[in-house]
Amino acid sequence: MASDSDQRLRILVVVAHPHDFTHGAGTCGIHASRGDTVTVVTMTNGSLTHNERLHDELMKPESERDQEALNQSGEEYAEKKAAEFREVCSLFGVDDVRVQMWPQPFRLEQHPGAVEKLVEIILDVRPHVLITQRPYYSGPHGMASMARDDHNETAIAVTEAAGLAATPDYGRQFRPHTIAATFYLGVYFMRDEIDFFVDIGDWYEQRVQAETLFESQGHTETFARKRIDSTAGNWGWYARTGYAEGFVRARPDLLSSLFVPESALARAAEPHEQHLNRMSGIVESET
Ligand SMILES: [Zn+2]
């Protein structure tokens, strides 16, 4: 991102629920393995999200319900999910995982303290890059929507916190910090809104494993592979590679000249047969 490629980046990821991290996990893996530091914050422990087992038990007639499943407390479920989450993050080389305990549904107006907590985290991590969710309340086809949810409330909270962390305060006199670049996870946008894709072909297996590890959400390996093939695989298809993660920039970049990625130059010169093989995941042997 900078012309000084030796600069180590500090990346802060802020999401609403543990599983949300996975949508940019391959990209985080790429950065962590290059020596950049990645801190992941989830605003809730996700105890109300994707409890498929409880859902399915409660769908049964009362006499057929499994008491063991019903007796599992919200805390137990959340603990299991937090443990899965840490394991998932470590697949991508991320050890700095901060699970916040704001209640769900997370609504900022009910918990304004969340902004202050995020300011504290930003001033502690002092990230160059912020990755978060879509901060707008808009629906499909660009229509206005009342669809407030944990994701956009989280993104609004961290946007507000980033502004405060950059603003000097006579009273508190902390050292202000300005985040250089903010990216939104592409999964919360329509495909034609994506600004760029990151090629995560080398991280495909970890993305599948991450899905599989969220056992508390009822995931199996078959489901996990199908999910990654049809999501990261679908974006990879549009990015003309195997697997990709999409991102939206919070604001346009200022460049010193036109920027053409290596991948575009290579693709333009690529023979058709090689292109099809590459898209099919066939690695050309070096001759
Ligand atoms: Zn979520």
Side-chain angles (χ1 to χ4, degrees):
M1 90 176 233
S3 56
D4 177 7
S5 57
D6 291 338
Q7 182 177 20
R8 295 273 176 261
L9 294 175
R10 287 186 300 276
I11 299 174
L12 175 65
V13 183
V14 179
V15 290
H17 314 125
H19 181 270
D20 302 335
F21 162 71
T22 62
H23 303 303
T27 304
C28 290
I30 291 168
H31 284 278
S33 68
R34 254 188 211 181
D36 297 337
T37 59
V38 181
T39 299
V40 179
V41 174
T42 173
M43 292 302 278
T44 75
N45 59 20
S47 62
L48 285 191
T49 324
H50 300 293
N51 194 336
E52 318 302 359
R53 193 164 169 220
L54 180 60
H55 174 273
D56 291 354
E57 285 307 321
L58 291 173
M59 290 290 282
K60 292 177 187 169
E62 221 166 304
S63 59
E64 290 170 28
R65 291 177 188 167
D66 172 3
Q67 275 310 317
E68 202 196 315
L70 294 180
N71 290 341
Q72 188 194 31
S73 67
E75 288 79 50
E76 275 174 74
Y77 175 76
E79 256 169 51
K80 181 167 165 49
K81 193 177 255 202
E84 293 167 349
F85 182 42
R86 287 177 199 284
E87 222 179 312
V88 163
C89 290
S90 76
L91 283 178
F92 301 92
V94 179
D95 305 319
D96 188 359
V97 180
R98 307 185 189 191
V99 178
Q100 309 299 299
M101 303 295 271
W102 301 99
Q104 284 185 265
F106 174 66
R107 294 295 177 267
L108 189 50
E109 67 200 12
Q110 287 162 27
H111 304 288
V115 172
E116 198 42 49
K117 179 68 202 175
L118 286 165
V119 171
E120 222 175 85
I121 292 172
I122 291 169
L123 292 175
D124 174 39
V125 175
R126 305 188 82 81
H128 303 96
V129 175
L130 170 66
I131 297 176
T132 189
Q133 294 161 309
R134 180 189 173 109
Y136 326 121
Y137 294 137
S138 62
H141 315 299
M143 288 191 301
S145 150
M146 289 300 288
R148 290 169 63 164
D149 64 25
D150 294 5
H151 307 119
N152 49 34
E153 293 275 325
T154 290
I156 290 166
V158 72
T159 303
E160 211 169 306
L164 288 172
T167 309
D169 181 330
Y170 278 114
R172 297 167 59 208
Q173 303 200 353
F174 57 79
R175 186 159 67 96
H177 177 76
T178 300
I179 294 171
T182 297
F183 303 116
Y184 305 130
L185 293 165
V187 289
Y188 304 96
F189 293 80
M190 299 287 126
R191 200 179 61 232
D192 62 358
E193 295 175 297
I194 301 298
D195 284 325
F196 63 90
F197 292 103
V198 174
D199 192 329
I200 58 142
D202 293 342
W203 294 85
Y204 168 75
E205 284 301 331
Q206 287 88 335
R207 284 288 313 262
V208 172
Q209 272 184 57
E211 286 302 319
T212 312
L213 277 171
F214 276 107
E215 219 178 71
S216 65
Q217 301 195 178
H219 293 186
T220 62
E221 205 205 315
T222 312
F223 167 83
R225 208 163 284 283
K226 171 69 179 169
R227 181 171 187 166
I228 299 307
D229 283 342
S230 51
T231 54
N234 183 253
W235 277 4
W237 181 261
Y238 285 97
R240 297 188 175 84
T241 186
Y243 299 90
E245 288 169 354
F247 292 89
V248 170
R249 293 183 175 94
R251 60 177 62 89
D253 288 327
L254 172 65
L255 303 177
S256 47
S257 65
L258 292 178
F259 169 69
V260 183
E262 281 296 315
S263 60
L265 295 172
R267 202 175 67 230
E270 185 177 48
H272 197 64
E273 188 188 349
Q274 197 178 314
H275 174 75
L276 293 189
N277 285 344
R278 191 171 54 76
M279 294 289 288
S280 313
I282 299 167
V283 181
E284 307 264 319
S285 60
E286 303 229 355
T287 47

